[in-house]
Amino acid sequence: MGTSPTHPSLPGLGQGGGTALLRLLADAVPVLLAYYEVPGLRCVFANQRYAQYSGMAVDALIGKTVRDAVGERAWQQILPYVERALQGEAVQYTREHVQDDGEARMMEITLMPHFDRDGDGQPHMVGAFVLINDITHHWAAERAVRQSEERMRKFAEATEEGIVFHREGIILDGNEALQRLTGYPLDELVGHPIIDFVEPGHHEAVREYVQHGREDPYELAIRHKDGHTIQIEAVGKTMPQAGGAYRVVVARDITARKQAQARADFLAGHDTLTQLPNRRSLMQQLARTLADAQHWRRRAAVLFIDLDHFKTVNESLGHEAGDQLLCEMARRLQGSVEAGDFVARVGGDQFVAVLPDIRNRTAAATLADTLLERVRAVYAIDGTPLSLSPSIGISVFPEDGYAPDELLRRADAAMHRAKESGRGTRQFYAPGMEGQPTEILQLEHQLREAVFQEAFVLHYQPQVEVSSGRLVGFEALVRWQHPQRGLIGPDEFIPVAESRGLITPIGRWVLREACRQVKAWHDEGLPRVPVAVNLSPLEFRQRDVAAEIAAVLHATGLEPRYLEIEITESALMWHTDQTRETLQALQHLGVGVAVDDFGTGYSSLAYLKRYPLDKLKIDRSFLTEAPANGDDVAIVTAIVQLAHSLQLQPVAEGVETAEQIDLLRRLGCGLAQGFGISQPMDAERTRAWLQALA
Ligand code: C2E
Ligand code: CA
Ligand code: CA
């Protein structure tokens, strides 16, 4: 054994300088350390901390038994562990230790048997190490987790909302409310993917929320064990945890709320008396119907139905009888139309039927006659037989109107005409019924038909380089092929089209046709030059022009650099973000933009700098009297200079004479267009023109 009781030698651990080092290390480590020899269980080695823990000095401790070192009470408590260690087992246990200052610490004790080999090489136990760790912090943290989990469990049981715990979509746990909500017992939930309980239409959303750990509430539908669907609102939260984050999802049954919502929606769109759709629903339905009719090139009819003398019934038989009558009428109307037709009640005794697909006007007339007959039949209200007749006004898409309110108004006007001309009849809308000037109405009427028939043609006017006469492009100019009057110029019908909502379909046709035609010429191997298409300011503002142009280019296969858009100054007057975005989108596409009729608008030169533009077309009014009129020459000069300073190409329009061409050459105006160079030509002649160049 060692020379000093504080420097004992441990069996098998060597002697000398090593022992001093061992002592140094033992006192430096943050654990409590001791060694007891076996048999006898007397202390052979202890570090400072261990001695302190036992309430003795190291020297005093050496040679003491465990029982002496720990005291009788503790000895009784640890005896079972000591006995196990003496059997050769490594033992670990925790014990609360109250310090002298009264503070309780949680200690983790490890007893490690130590073996040595005897003469014949058999291992036998010679002692045991005692290692004690203060785990108070760790233990307190664990206890906090246990307590919070306990709180969570209590909360989960107390709430009426379903709570499910899952990790990466696999259910870990759930509360009782969840089991009630889904009808599944816990063991049929745990271990299964959440998605198995979700209606297929919502799988995508659930994946999105689970994968991205989204924590905002969302609505979905789940399936109850008995097969019925439950609308729920779910909100999930990610809970970080050492073993990998898990999610807690609270699911609230919102079936009742949904039903109330559906009921409210129904009421908002329906008439409470007859249960028919109301005016609001009608307008929505009509908008959809007309969009479809436009797309599929169908005719649709609006029938405005009004009961004659309803007021008399109401007054003489009472409101209840009136109500019964209206319900009966609603039933008859509904029963007389076809499956895809739509009947709404729009006012007291006024109903509207929408026929979304009719072959011709006769078909609408036939159905109106059926309705007249059915509604006219005798009613028995409270035993009193009544004979009533309705009047019906009819308007037809597209010839009588394009917009829902327009068609409705006109069917109404026709209905009034029907009443005037003897009740119980039907009447088609005809121009003038609304009391507008007939010529305009007639023009509008014919123009609608023209849009429907696409009765337009494009003429092309060349644009050339002033210096060389070289062709640089064409401008597409639209003409209406009128059945009686022949070709009608745009100045006569574009303003009507703009005011009657017809400019959009016309503009679409022009764009498509110009692109198609030029692409066809390219494919023939004719010289490739761009085509310029005029866009009305209305079109430029109303539609998502850039996207539409991109779509047309794509559909026709024309390269964007062979398309140019001409817009007047007034279209650029509205300095909105939309204007800039549209122009930027066009530039991005690679489509050129020219400012048309420059000099006639409310010129704000500032916008020219701000927008991506390519050409400035000098209005032809400035050329008319040039070069004779000095003022005009000055204006043209100024515009050419301005264009150059803004790096835009000036184009002179309406060039008719050789003197004008001379002037332009002198002024450095690079491009020109006009009768003096060429009149606008139809496609056939334009093609010949191109062929001559090739
Ligand atoms: P604009 O864009 O200024 O088109 C040029 C007009 O000037 C054309 O009249 C053309 O025939 C005429 N013109 C060309 N050279 C001469 C000339 O030397 N002397 C004279 N006096 N006139 C000449 P057009 O075809 O009647 O078109 C009139 C306007 O209609 C166009 O003016 C344009 O604003 C509009 N327009 C034409 N096609 C379309 C279109 O497809 N969509 C839209 N929104 N508007 C169009
Ligand atoms: Ca133009
Ligand atoms: Ca012009």
Side-chain angles (χ1 to χ4, degrees):
M1 283 282 154
T3 49
S4 137
T6 50
H7 296 111
S9 68
L10 301 182
L13 289 183
Q15 302 275 332
T19 345
L21 180 62
L22 175 64
R23 159 87 17 220
L24 187 68
L25 287 175
D27 285 339
V29 292
V31 292
L32 287 62
L33 200 64
Y35 184 90
Y36 288 86
E37 64 181 5
V38 172
L41 284 180
R42 286 184 187 279
C43 183
V44 178
F45 179 88
N47 70 356
Q48 298 272 8
R49 284 173 208 269
Y50 184 89
Q52 237 166 9
Y53 173 68
S54 308
M56 293 179 219
V58 173
D59 285 355
L61 193 60
I62 302 299
K64 290 248 164 34
T65 63
V66 179
R67 194 174 189 157
D68 291 341
V70 302
E72 188 57 29
R73 235 183 91 218
W75 171 249
Q76 292 305 329
Q77 286 169 0
I78 67 173
L79 191 56
Y81 304 112
V82 174
E83 278 171 350
R84 273 165 59 198
L86 287 173
Q87 299 297 314
E89 187 189 341
V91 180
Q92 195 171 59
Y93 59 96
T94 52
R95 225 167 82 73
E96 204 177 24
H97 173 72
V98 182
Q99 293 179 162
D100 294 344
D101 60 9
E103 197 191 334
R105 312 290 303 175
M106 188 52 72
M107 313 304 275
E108 182 186 70
I109 297 126
T110 309
L111 304 178
M112 287 232 308
H114 179 216
F115 298 92
D116 203 0
R117 293 182 188 280
D118 56 18
D120 51 4
Q122 287 298 311
H124 66 278
M125 192 169 164
V126 293
F129 292 98
V130 180
L131 283 128
I132 304 178
N133 272 300
D134 185 334
I135 58 162
T136 311
H137 279 301
H138 182 62
W139 172 80
E142 229 176 39
R143 188 177 53 179
V145 168
R146 262 199 314 279
Q147 283 174 344
S148 92
E149 276 175 359
E150 175 73 0
R151 270 200 298 276
M152 174 79 101
R153 199 184 59 72
K154 283 194 174 146
F155 162 73
E157 293 317 325
T159 176
E160 266 313 300
E161 290 169 350
I163 296 180
V164 58
F165 299 79
H166 72 86
R167 180 170 289 137
E168 283 161 12
I170 306 294
I171 298 176
L172 302 171
D173 202 356
N175 66 351
E176 268 176 32
L178 182 76
Q179 300 169 46
R180 283 195 298 275
L181 182 69
T182 59
Y184 289 96
L186 196 57
D187 61 341
E188 289 178 32
L189 293 165
V190 170
H192 292 273
I194 271 195
I195 214 104
D196 287 0
F197 304 93
V198 174
E199 290 288 358
H202 297 272
H203 284 185
E204 211 38 56
V206 172
R207 281 200 197 97
E208 150 84 14
Y209 273 77
V210 170
Q211 265 165 24
H212 297 100
R214 285 178 59 172
E215 303 202 337
D216 51 313
Y218 67 112
E219 290 182 6
L220 69 155
I222 59 171
R223 196 177 303 127
H224 189 273
K225 192 174 181 183
D226 69 15
H228 80 271
T229 298
I230 311 158
Q231 303 285 338
I232 63 163
E233 182 188 74
V235 52
K237 300 280 172 206
T238 302
M239 313 293 270
Q241 207 194 31
Y246 66 97
R247 301 253 301 164
V248 185
V249 182
V250 178
R252 178 178 307 145
D253 186 342
I254 53 167
T255 310
R257 189 171 97 194
K258 282 276 166 195
Q259 280 167 351
Q261 184 64 42
R263 177 92 197 117
D265 287 349
F266 179 84
L267 287 179
H270 289 76
D271 162 42
T272 39
L273 177 64
T274 62
Q275 304 288 305
L276 284 180
N278 60 15
R279 178 180 283 271
R280 197 177 120 180
S281 296
L282 170 72
M283 296 318 279
Q284 289 168 352
Q285 178 65 32
L286 202 49
R288 279 193 294 270
T289 300
L290 297 185
D292 281 354
Q294 167 86 49
H295 184 256
W296 299 107
R297 299 174 148 254
R298 290 183 192 137
R299 283 177 203 277
V302 175
L303 274 55
F304 204 109
I305 306 149
D306 185 290
L307 269 187
D308 301 333
H309 307 298
F310 177 71
K311 220 169 135 239
T312 323
V313 175
N314 234 0
E315 282 163 4
S316 55
L317 295 178
H319 286 283
E320 224 160 275
D323 285 355
Q324 276 185 49
L325 186 63
L326 290 172
C327 288
E328 177 58 23
M329 181 166 167
R331 261 194 298 280
R332 290 188 189 185
L333 287 175
Q334 188 95 73
S336 308
V337 297
E338 310 217 335
D341 299 347
F342 186 87
V343 180
R345 181 181 177 212
V346 295
D349 60 343
Q350 298 186 322
F351 296 81
V352 169
V354 178
L355 319 178
D357 185 9
I358 52 162
R359 212 171 331 108
N360 46 37
R361 294 170 89 88
T362 315
T366 308
L367 189 93
D369 289 340
T370 309
L371 293 184
L372 283 175
E373 203 169 307
R374 293 282 196 89
V375 176
R376 204 187 276 141
V378 173
Y379 293 79
I381 301 295
D382 282 342
T384 316
L386 277 174
S387 178
L388 281 173
S389 64
S391 294
I392 301 181
I394 310 167
S395 64
V396 176
F397 170 91
E399 54 265 44
D400 299 331
Y402 256 68
D405 51 348
E406 198 172 47
L407 281 166
L408 203 60
R409 216 174 51 233
R410 290 178 174 177
D412 189 2
M415 184 274 292
H416 278 102
R417 188 56 62 87
K419 275 200 195 300
E420 284 163 17
S421 63
R423 301 180 179 238
T425 57
R426 57 157 167 92
Q427 179 80 51
F428 276 99
Y429 169 77
M433 280 185 183
E434 283 179 303
Q436 283 171 308
T438 26
E439 310 88 69
I440 298 262
L441 283 165
Q442 220 128 38
L443 189 67
E444 181 194 346
H445 189 71
Q446 292 168 343
L447 195 53
R448 277 186 203 289
E449 194 59 32
V451 168
F452 197 59
Q453 308 280 352
E454 296 189 339
F456 300 101
V457 286
L458 289 185
H459 282 192
Y460 300 88
Q461 187 178 37
Q463 206 176 80
V464 300
E465 203 171 62
V466 174
S467 57
S468 61
R470 189 174 64 88
L471 177 73
V472 295
F474 288 108
E475 176 175 3
L477 296 158
V478 69
R479 276 99 183 84
W480 171 12
Q481 226 154 11
H482 192 278
Q484 285 88 41
R485 293 168 54 200
L487 282 192
I488 297 182
D491 284 338
E492 200 174 326
F493 68 88
I494 294 281
V496 180
E498 282 178 336
S499 70
R500 301 296 156 133
L502 289 169
I503 192 65
T504 305
I506 295 176
R508 268 194 199 127
W509 181 85
V510 170
L511 180 66
R512 194 169 290 273
E513 172 59 14
C515 292
R516 185 204 63 76
Q517 179 64 79
V518 170
K519 168 71 172 148
W521 286 332
H522 287 182
D523 290 347
E524 268 187 69
L526 294 167
R528 296 187 173 209
V529 289
V531 65
V533 170
N534 291 282
L535 218 60
S536 136
L538 271 172
E539 291 179 86
F540 188 73
R541 280 203 302 276
Q542 278 172 359
R543 302 187 274 148
D544 187 358
V545 199
E548 198 166 305
I549 289 172
V552 170
L553 286 169
H554 184 77
T556 55
L558 183 70
E559 277 179 64
R561 63 187 165 120
Y562 292 118
L563 179 65
E564 199 172 272
I565 298 298
E566 293 194 3
I567 40 175
T568 57
E569 266 186 297
S570 59
L572 298 179
M573 238 171 55
W574 311 91
H575 306 298
T576 59
D577 285 346
Q578 199 204 337
T579 304
R580 200 179 46 249
E581 277 161 23
T582 301
L583 290 172
Q584 279 167 348
L586 289 176
Q587 184 191 37
H588 192 74
L589 265 179
V591 169
V593 178
V595 182
D596 207 355
D597 303 345
F598 188 77
T600 58
Y602 306 82
S603 299
S604 148
L605 299 179
Y607 74 80
L608 291 176
K609 258 189 282 187
R610 225 175 1 225
Y611 298 138
L613 302 165
D614 301 285
K615 286 180 180 171
L616 214 57
K617 297 188 80 174
I618 307 167
D619 190 72
R620 63 174 180 271
S621 61
F622 299 118
L623 263 289
T624 317
E625 291 177 32
N629 184 324
D631 285 350
D632 284 353
V633 173
I635 291 173
V636 174
T637 310
I639 298 177
V640 170
Q641 291 305 321
L642 172 76
H644 283 153
S645 72
L646 293 168
Q647 275 150 2
L648 301 176
Q649 281 187 287
V651 186
E653 283 191 307
V655 178
E656 297 184 352
T657 66
E659 290 79 49
Q660 289 167 341
I661 296 188
D662 260 354
L663 174 70
L664 295 173
R665 197 173 286 131
R666 278 204 309 279
L667 293 179
C669 178
L671 305 176
Q673 189 182 337
F675 294 169
I677 295 149
S678 166
Q679 295 263 350
M681 304 171 282
D682 64 18
E684 201 37 53
R685 284 179 53 217
T686 311
R687 188 175 163 276
W689 221 79
L690 276 171
Q691 224 158 15
L693 292 180

